C-alpha cells in the first residue's frame, strides 16, 4: 500500500497540500484532524466538557465516523450526518485539541486510521502520523511554517468564510494549540528523524506540492536502484566504520554511561525524598521550547523540578559555583544542567540556552538569581535574563511557584501556571524593552502567588475546591458586569 504521512502544527497548510498530492497521485486523502474535530463536535453536542476524560470516554461508544463522496471529495459524517462544515467552526479547533489529549480518544481514532492505511493507498495528515500511527511509512513529511504566518493564513480563511475573529485571537489560539499538541503526554506532535521537513513560510502552495512529489519520486528511485551488491558493500562499509567508531568511543561511552547511571539514580532519589504536590502539571512543557521560571527558596528547588517535571529533554540553568567539582559537573550535565558564570556576559551559557530552546527543549531558570533566604512570600527582584531569552527565542514563559521552602520529607506545593508569550516585544530592540518585559514577568509571578495562596489557604490544597472557587468567582464577575456593578 502507498502511505504518505504528513505531520505538522495547525495552519501549516497540511490538508490543502495533502489533498492536492493525493489527487495528483490518484489516491485517497484522509484528514485525521477532522476525526478529532468530529469527536469534539459530538462531545459539545452532548453538552459535555471536551477536556474532562470521564465526560468524553463514555461518549466514544456513540461515535460513528464515515465518509461520503461529494464533488469527488471525501466528506466526513458523524453518525450519518455530514458535519464537514460544522467541524470547521473556530471554537471546534480548540475543543478538538482538548479531546486529542485524551488517550482513549487517540486509541479509538488511531485504530481507525491504521485500518484505513492497511487497506487503501492514502495520504494522511495530522500530528502523530509519522511518529505513532504509521511509524514505518515509507514517505514521511513534517510540514511547518512560522506561527505568525500560520495565524495569518487561518485568519484570512475564516474571514473569507464570514466568521468574525481577530488576528490576535487567532495567533494566541495557534500558539495555544501548538503548545497543547506538542506537550500532551500521549503521542505528541514532533518531527521524527526520518521525516523530511518543509518550512512553507515563504513557499507557494505549488512549490510545497512539488517538493513533496519530488521527494516521493526520489525515495522510489533510491529504493529501486539499490541492488543487492550495493546493499552488501554498504553494509560492509557501515560495519567497518562502526567498529572503528566503537573502538574510538569505547572510553567515552563508558564514561558517559557511568554519569548517566548516576544521574538516573539521582533523579529517582530526589523524586522519593521530596514530597511536593504539583498542581496543573499539564501546563508543563515537555517537548517544546519554553522558558520555565520558578521562585527560589532552597538548593532543593531544582531537584524537585528535575525529578518530577523536567524529564530528560529539559535543561536547568545553574550557577557555575555548583559545578566546580568535575564529578558534580558531569552528573549535573547529565541532569540537563547549563552552568552560567554570574556577573559577566557568559557567551557560552547564552548560546547553550538559546540552542536548547531552538531544539524544542524547556529551560528552567530561577529569575530571582539567588535564594530567598528570608523564606518570605514576597519575590526578590528579577534578573533580566528570562525576558531576553524568551524574546530572542520567541518562546513562551511557563511560571511556577513553590508555596513555601522545600525540605526533605516536608510537604510542599508547587503550582504550574499557564504559559504566556512576550510577543508585544518581539519586534522591538531588546535593550529598549528588557525592563518592561521583566516587569510583565514579575507581575505574572505575583498573580501566581495569589492563586497558590487561594489554593492552599482557602481551598485547603484541594484542586477540585479551587476549580469550584474559580468558577464561582467568574460567575460573580459576570453577574456584577451584567448588573452594571
Ligand atoms: O489539523 P486540525 O487543526 O484539523 O486538527 C484538529 C486538532 O486535532 C489539533 O489540535 C490536533 C488534533 N490532532 C491530533 O492530535 N492528531 C492528529 N493526527 C490530527 C489532529
Amino acid at each position: 500500500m502507498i502511505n504518505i504521512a504528513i505531520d505538522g502544527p495547525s495552519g501549516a497548510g497540511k490538508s490543502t497540500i495533502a489533498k492536492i498530492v493525493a489527487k495528483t497521485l490518484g489516491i485517497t486523502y484522509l484528514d485525521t484532524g477532522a476525526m478529532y474535530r468530529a469527536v469534539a463536535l459530538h462531545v459539545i453536542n452532548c453538552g459535555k466538557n471536551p477536556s474532562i476524560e470521564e465526560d468524553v470516554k463514555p461518549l466514544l461508544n456513540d461515535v460513528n465516523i464515515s465518509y461520503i463522496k461529494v464533488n469527488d471529495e471525501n466528506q466526513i459524517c458523524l453518525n450519518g450526518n455530514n458535519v464537514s462544515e460544522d467541524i470547521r467552526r473556530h471554537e471546534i479547533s480548540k475543543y478538538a485539541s482538548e479531546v486529542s489529549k485524551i488517550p482513549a480518544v487517540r486509541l479509538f481514532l488511531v485504530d481507525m486510521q491504521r485500518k484505513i492505511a492497511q487497506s487503501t493507498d492514502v495520504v494522511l495528515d495530522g500530528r502523530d502520523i509519522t511518529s505513532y500511527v504509521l511509524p514505518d511509512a515509507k514517505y514521511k513529511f513534517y510540514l511547518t511554517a512560522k506561527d505568525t504566518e500560520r495565524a495569518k493564513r487561518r485568519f484570512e480563511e475564516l474571514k473569507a468564510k464570514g466568521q468574525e475573529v481577530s488576528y490576535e485571537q487567532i495567533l494566541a489560539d495557534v500558539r495555544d494549540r501548538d503548545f497543547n499538541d506538542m506537550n500532551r503526554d500521549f503521542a505528541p506532535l514532533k518531527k521524527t528523524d526520518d521525516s523530511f521537513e518543509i518550512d512553507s513560510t515563504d513557499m507557494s502552495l505549488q512549490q510545497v506540492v512539488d517538493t513533496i512529489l519530488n521527494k516521493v519520486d526520489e525515495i522510489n528511485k533510491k529504493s529501486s536502484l539499490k541492488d543487492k551488491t550495493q546493499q552488501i558493500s554498504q553494509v560492509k562499509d557501515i560495519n567497518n566504520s562502526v567498529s572503528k567508531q566503537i573502538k574510538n568511543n569505547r572510553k567515552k561511552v563508558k564514561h558517559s554511561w557511568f554519569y548517566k547511571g548516576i544521574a538516573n539514580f539521582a533523579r529517582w532519589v530526589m523524586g522519593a525524598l521530596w514530597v511536593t504536590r504539583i498542581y496543573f502539571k499539564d501546563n508543563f512543557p515537555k517537548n517544546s521550547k519554553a522558558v520555565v521560571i520558578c521562585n527560589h527558596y532552597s538548593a532543593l528547588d531544582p531537584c524537585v523540578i528535575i525529578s518530577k517535571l523536567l524529564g530528560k529533554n529539559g535543561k536547568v540553568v545553574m550557577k557555575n559555583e555548583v559545578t566546580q567539582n568535575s564529578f558534580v559537573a558531569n552528573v549535573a550535565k547529565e541532569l540537563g544542567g547549563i552552568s552560567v558564570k554570574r556577573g559577566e556576559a557568559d557567551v557560552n551559557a547564552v548560546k547553550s540556552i538559546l540552542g536548547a530552546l531552538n531544539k524544542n527543549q524547556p529551560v528552567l531558570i530561577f529569575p530571582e538569581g539567588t535564594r530567598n533566604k528570608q523564606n518570605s512570600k514576597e519575590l526578590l527582584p528579577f534578573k533580566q535574563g528570562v525576558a531576553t531569552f524568551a524574546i530572542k527565542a520567541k518562546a513562551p514563559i511557563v511560571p511556577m511557584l513553590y508555596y513555601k521552602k522545600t525540605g526533605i520529607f516536608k510537604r510542599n506545593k508547587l503550582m504550574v501556571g499557564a504559559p504566556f508569550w512576550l510577543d508585544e516585544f518581539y519586534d522591538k530592540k531588546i535593550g529598549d524593552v528588557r525592563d518592561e518585559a521583566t516587569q510583565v514577568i514579575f507581575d505574572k509571578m505575583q498573580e501566581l502567588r495569589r492563586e497558590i495562596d487561594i489554593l492552599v489557604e482557602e481551598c485547603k490544597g484541594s484542586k477540585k475546591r479551587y476549580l469550584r472557587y474559580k468558577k464561582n468567582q467568574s460567575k460573580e464577575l459576570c453577574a456584577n458586569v451584567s448588573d452594571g456593578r
Side-chain angles (χ1 to χ4, degrees):
M1 284 293 135
I2 302 174
N3 289 165
I4 301 181
I6 307 180
D7 280 330
S10 59
K14 295 185 301 287
S15 52
T16 316
I17 303 250
K19 241 183 246 172
I20 303 176
V21 170
K23 211 169 196 165
T24 315
L25 297 174
I27 61 179
T28 305
Y29 162 60
L30 184 69
D31 174 358
T32 62
M35 294 171 138
Y36 288 90
R37 286 169 181 268
V39 171
L41 183 67
H42 182 66
V43 174
I44 293 298
N45 287 346
C46 294
K48 296 285 181 187
N49 186 337
S51 52
I52 299 181
E53 183 162 10
E54 294 74 35
D55 275 12
V56 175
K57 243 168 133 176
L59 296 179
L60 292 175
N61 295 325
D62 312 324
V63 172
N64 185 2
I65 291 176
S66 56
Y67 292 87
I68 48 164
K69 262 223 155 65
V70 178
N71 297 335
D72 209 25
E73 213 176 73
N74 279 325
Q75 297 203 339
I76 190 164
C77 297
L78 171 65
N79 298 335
N81 299 315
N82 185 341
V83 290
S84 35
E85 281 287 313
D86 264 5
I87 56 165
R88 296 290 150 203
R89 292 198 325 252
H90 182 56
E91 71 276 15
I92 298 295
S93 308
K94 188 167 163 315
Y95 299 140
S97 184
E98 293 297 339
V99 294
S100 75
K101 281 198 236 169
I102 299 173
V105 172
R106 302 204 72 82
L107 291 173
F108 173 72
L109 294 180
V110 166
D111 189 48
M112 284 175 60
Q113 293 155 11
R114 284 186 181 145
K115 281 190 182 130
I116 294 173
Q118 270 163 17
S119 57
T120 324
D121 288 333
V122 64
V123 182
L124 302 91
D125 77 340
R127 305 293 189 285
D128 59 345
I129 312 298
T130 57
S131 60
Y132 186 72
V133 181
L134 302 173
D136 296 327
K138 190 167 166 190
Y139 314 99
K140 293 164 95 172
F141 296 90
Y142 187 80
L143 184 58
T144 184
K146 281 198 185 118
D147 52 7
T148 42
E149 174 66 21
R150 290 187 278 125
K152 198 176 111 205
R153 291 176 191 167
R154 194 67 103 195
F155 173 68
E156 273 156 15
E157 188 186 321
L158 291 174
K159 210 168 72 179
K161 282 188 190 162
Q163 295 190 29
E164 270 193 34
V165 275
S166 75
Y167 168 76
E168 287 71 26
Q169 185 54 49
I170 302 243
L171 179 60
D173 289 349
V174 162
R175 286 180 174 155
D176 244 18
R177 283 213 286 153
D178 283 358
F179 192 87
N180 270 348
D181 295 343
M182 289 174 176
N183 290 296
R184 61 172 173 244
D185 285 330
F186 192 81
L189 166 66
K190 63 178 173 200
K191 182 197 158 309
T192 60
D193 289 341
D194 54 356
S195 292
F196 184 73
E197 180 168 350
I198 305 169
D199 183 337
S200 73
T201 308
D202 300 312
M203 290 170 84
S204 69
L205 208 67
Q206 195 54 47
Q207 281 173 322
V208 179
V209 171
D210 288 345
T211 310
I212 293 183
L213 292 174
N214 288 341
K215 189 76 195 166
V216 168
D217 205 32
E218 189 189 310
I219 295 171
N220 286 342
K221 276 187 190 140
K222 256 191 201 159
S223 59
S224 67
L225 267 178
K226 269 187 208 153
D227 61 15
K228 274 214 167 89
T229 45
Q230 248 182 332
Q231 282 177 5
I232 289 167
S233 77
Q234 267 181 356
V235 169
K236 268 186 188 161
D237 286 350
I238 291 171
N239 276 348
N240 283 343
S241 74
V242 166
S243 57
K244 252 190 218 160
Q245 259 180 24
I246 288 178
K247 262 187 207 155
N248 289 345
N249 288 344
R250 196 164 280 154
K251 264 194 201 158
K252 247 200 220 159
V253 168
K254 234 185 193 173
H255 185 249
S256 109
W257 275 110
F258 174 69
Y259 288 109
K260 266 199 178 83
I262 298 210
N264 283 339
F265 180 67
R267 259 192 212 105
W268 176 79
V269 172
M270 293 188 297
L273 284 186
W274 293 300
V275 249
T276 296
R277 179 159 175 204
I278 301 172
Y279 293 86
F280 301 102
K281 225 173 171 174
D282 269 2
N283 283 334
F284 195 88
K286 285 181 218 72
N287 303 306
S288 66
K289 66 175 167 191
V291 182
V292 179
I293 59 174
C294 190
N295 60 337
H296 196 11
Y297 288 121
S298 131
L300 306 181
D301 294 339
C303 304
V304 176
I305 299 171
I306 287 171
S307 62
K308 297 197 192 274
L309 288 171
L310 209 56
K312 292 185 183 167
N313 190 37
K315 298 276 173 195
V316 50
V317 174
M318 37 181 84
K319 52 185 180 192
N320 85 322
E321 290 92 314
V322 178
T323 53
Q324 288 305 311
N325 167 303
S326 75
F327 174 80
V328 178
N330 280 321
V331 177
K333 199 166 154 220
E334 288 302 334
L335 289 170
I338 296 177
S339 107
V340 59
K341 292 185 201 128
R342 291 189 301 173
E344 62 178 275
D346 185 341
V347 179
N348 282 336
V350 171
K351 271 192 195 156
S352 307
I353 294 168
L354 289 175
L357 291 171
N358 288 331
K359 275 194 269 162
N360 271 336
Q361 293 176 295
V363 178
L364 168 67
I365 304 179
F366 294 98
E368 293 162 301
T370 185
R371 279 178 277 154
N372 178 343
K373 301 209 176 73
Q374 262 87 52
N375 300 334
S376 62
K377 283 188 176 180
E378 283 77 45
L379 296 161
L380 305 178
F382 281 9
K383 307 267 184 245
Q384 294 185 320
V386 171
T388 310
F389 296 126
I391 293 173
K392 279 202 165 166
K394 295 193 167 69
I397 299 178
V398 178
M400 301 201 301
L401 206 111
Y402 280 107
Y403 178 65
K404 59 178 183 193
K405 186 175 173 182
T406 297
I408 294 183
F409 297 130
K410 251 201 212 151
R411 292 194 177 279
N412 197 2
K413 314 242 183 302
L414 176 73
M415 190 168 187
V416 188
F420 62 93
W421 282 259
L422 297 175
D423 43 1
E424 68 263 43
F425 303 112
Y426 286 173
D427 303 328
K428 313 230 165 84
K429 237 172 91 191
I430 192 91
D432 296 342
V433 295
R434 219 180 259 139
D435 284 342
E436 200 186 332
T438 303
Q439 187 60 44
V440 171
I441 302 168
F442 191 80
D443 292 345
K444 288 274 183 193
M445 282 292 268
Q446 282 196 315
E447 212 177 293
L448 196 59
R449 165 50 79 187
R450 287 192 286 279
E451 293 304 313
I452 197 169
D453 284 353
I454 293 173
L455 177 97
V456 178
E457 291 159 18
E458 306 224 10
C459 306
K460 309 277 175 278
S462 150
K463 185 175 166 188
K464 247 193 190 157
R465 229 178 275 166
Y466 171 76
L467 290 175
R468 217 178 306 132
Y469 177 98
K470 297 299 291 179
K471 211 169 164 185
N472 288 339
Q473 219 183 21
S474 63
K475 262 194 212 150
E476 249 173 52
L477 200 73
C478 293
N480 287 346
V481 171
S482 59
D483 288 356
R485 268 185 264 160

